[in-house]
Amino acid sequence: MLTGQQLRVAQPVAEGLTNREVADRMFLSTRTVDHHLRNIFHRLGIRSRTQLARVL
């Protein structure tokens, strides 16, 4: 259901990392991480990081 990049962003977020921490680990901007998260939430029909953790 998620692309590879979306999954790579979603997993550490679900583990509790902040957007800044994910961005630093993946050498991305925080804006890019935020963009991926918005798309992930839309695709999965969820609205929060807590729901993301439950889904994954």
Side-chain angles (χ1 to χ4, degrees), residues 19-34:
N19 288 8
R20 166 64 65 196
E21 292 168 331
V22 174
D24 289 345
R25 280 190 180 183
M26 298 182 71
F27 304 102
L28 300 171
S29 73
T30 54
R31 191 169 178 189
T32 300
V33 172
D34 182 60

Side-chain angles (χ1 to χ4, degrees), residues 1 35 38 40 50 54:
M1 202 180 254
H35 175 76
R38 279 185 272 122
I40 290 164
T50 303
R54 287 184 195 139

Side-chain angles (χ1 to χ4, degrees), residues 9-56:
V9 170
Q11 288 174 332
V13 169
E15 293 170 4
L17 271 65
T18 65
N19 288 8
R20 166 64 65 196
E21 292 168 331
V22 174
D24 289 345
R25 280 190 180 183
M26 298 182 71
F27 304 102
L28 300 171
S29 73
T30 54
R31 191 169 178 189
T32 300
V33 172
D34 182 60
H35 175 76
H36 282 304
L37 278 177
R38 279 185 272 122
N39 289 337
I40 290 164
F41 286 5
H42 178 74
R43 252 190 194 189
L44 298 177
I46 59 176
R47 293 182 178 216
S48 73
R49 297 166 92 90
T50 303
Q51 288 177 314
L52 179 61
R54 287 184 195 139
V55 169
L56 294 184

